[in-house]
Amino acid sequence: MTRIELLGVPIDICRPEHLEEGIMKILEKPGTKQIVFLTIWDLLKARNKNKDFGDCLKNADLILPISKSILKGARFLKLDVPVRYNPFNAVIQILNTLDRHYKSLYLLGARKKTLQKAEHNVHDTFRQLRIVGRYVGYFPKNAENDVVQAIYKASPSLVIVGEGIKEKNLWAYHRREKFSSSIFLYYRDCIGIFGGRIRRVSEKTFDAGKEIWTEVAHNPSKVFLIFPYMWYKTLLVCTRLFGNRKKKSDASIYHVESLEKQKAAEQTQDG
């Protein structure tokens, strides 16, 4: 895997054929690990000086882009272009990997009925994957310690965090010292899709990069995301124009300093 930075935000380049090997290597690491599905809105959130989320990404073990605009941005800035993942397909691939290696899973999020059905469906699909626990989302603050302790004691290979967890990716990051050796993956709709309550975006819509219109249909206020999107475009253009100038300027300074050092070395030798 290769890590690049787009507008100062880290993104990993991981080919699908290398994902299984990458997951197993992450599992071998000690302590709490994290996989992040990165949207363009997440990128802007980290870019806009949200220190907590920026630090979360810097510490994440795998950052997979799921927005087509991120790939276009990398291509525009002439960076190595990462692979875009459909988040649900990526989860299936990760669970297949854990299933083949007899690993374990914990489900956190959604309402009770959806969570129970999701657990049943996952168990039927991945027969060698042990589901070592589950806990509903939207739990009260005074129940949090029980949730953390339950995950710590179960020590699952992977914790899928879904709807009902307000802090999203930051929930695991803020509590990383309280767990043992699990990978945490936040994907809001995952448990709902497994539970049959949420309909996943079609492959055709996702491949076309039009999944945002599905979100707008459910929440019309998201049409105003056009403004941060235009800001993203502006940042790309500015970085393309002025970032290259800065690189050339830095290169010129480095060249001058190198000549001065060389000249000083020659004078010392002549002396």
Side-chain angles (χ1 to χ4, degrees):
M1 291 185 291
T2 305
R3 178 161 288 192
I4 64 169
E5 282 197 0
L6 177 62
L7 301 179
V9 178
I11 300 168
D12 289 315
I13 300 176
C14 179
R15 307 293 170 191
E17 61 270 24
H18 299 149
L19 184 58
E20 178 168 352
E21 180 184 358
I23 294 299
M24 296 311 296
K25 284 184 177 179
I26 291 172
L27 275 172
E28 291 172 2
K29 295 181 180 181
T32 301
K33 283 84 65 172
Q34 194 161 10
I35 298 173
V36 176
F37 288 145
L38 190 74
T39 67
I40 180 179
W41 320 118
D42 292 330
L43 186 148
L44 289 171
K45 179 181 175 182
R47 176 70 174 68
N48 292 338
K49 309 303 180 186
N50 186 310
K51 187 177 185 304
D52 254 9
F53 191 61
D55 290 344
C56 173
L57 291 183
K58 289 176 183 177
N59 284 278
D61 299 272
L62 184 59
I63 303 169
L64 300 176
I66 63 174
S67 292
K68 202 167 188 176
S69 299
I70 292 177
L71 276 62
K72 290 180 179 179
R75 193 174 291 112
F76 181 75
L77 295 181
K78 299 181 180 180
L79 302 171
D80 291 336
V81 180
V83 176
R84 180 183 180 224
Y85 279 81
N86 181 317
F88 188 74
N89 291 347
V91 167
I92 295 298
Q93 191 173 350
I94 292 169
L95 292 181
N96 274 323
T97 295
L98 299 180
D99 187 55
R100 281 191 290 271
H101 293 273
Y102 302 93
K103 299 299 182 178
S104 57
L105 173 69
Y106 194 103
L107 298 173
L108 174 63
R111 302 291 184 183
K112 184 176 181 181
K113 186 176 179 180
T114 301
L115 182 59
Q116 288 175 335
K117 191 171 181 180
E119 180 183 15
H120 175 78
N121 290 338
V122 170
H123 177 73
D124 281 353
T125 306
F126 305 96
R127 291 302 183 91
Q128 297 173 136
L129 178 66
R130 294 179 296 114
I131 301 178
V132 293
R134 56 179 164 83
Y135 207 99
V136 296
Y138 308 99
F139 52 80
K141 187 70 176 176
N142 58 14
E144 182 177 294
N145 189 56
D146 292 338
V147 177
V148 171
Q149 284 298 311
I151 295 173
Y152 173 79
K153 290 177 180 178
S155 190
S157 305
L158 174 69
V159 180
I160 291 180
V161 182
E163 60 180 314
I165 306 300
K166 288 184 179 179
E167 292 177 77
K168 304 178 181 178
N169 282 296
L170 289 174
W171 190 85
Y173 176 70
H174 286 156
R175 297 156 183 80
R176 61 194 181 279
E177 302 298 333
K178 298 182 178 181
F179 302 112
S180 51
S181 59
S182 302
I183 299 175
F184 285 80
L185 170 60
Y186 173 77
Y187 175 24
R188 185 185 184 280
D189 294 342
C190 187
I191 297 174
I193 293 172
F194 279 130
R197 190 183 67 80
I198 296 175
R199 185 177 180 180
R200 57 177 298 206
V201 175
S202 71
E203 295 285 346
K204 184 178 180 180
T205 299
F206 183 83
D207 290 343
K210 296 179 179 178
E211 65 275 11
I212 182 62
W213 298 114
T214 303
E215 296 181 34
V216 170
H218 288 93
N219 183 1
S221 66
K222 287 197 173 185
V223 74
F224 294 108
L225 288 173
I226 187 65
F227 297 112
Y229 178 75
M230 295 308 297
W231 174 240
Y232 171 69
K233 290 287 191 179
T234 303
L235 288 172
L236 289 175
V237 172
C238 291
T239 302
R240 175 81 175 263
L241 291 175
F242 304 112
N244 288 339
R245 290 182 187 177
K246 185 178 185 302
K247 287 180 181 178
K248 288 179 181 178
S249 175
D250 290 344
S252 298
I253 293 171
Y254 176 77
H255 181 65
V256 170
E257 289 177 346
S258 297
L259 289 176
E260 289 177 348
K261 287 180 181 178
Q262 183 180 352
K263 187 176 180 181
E266 290 174 353
Q267 290 176 347
T268 301
Q269 288 176 357
D270 291 343

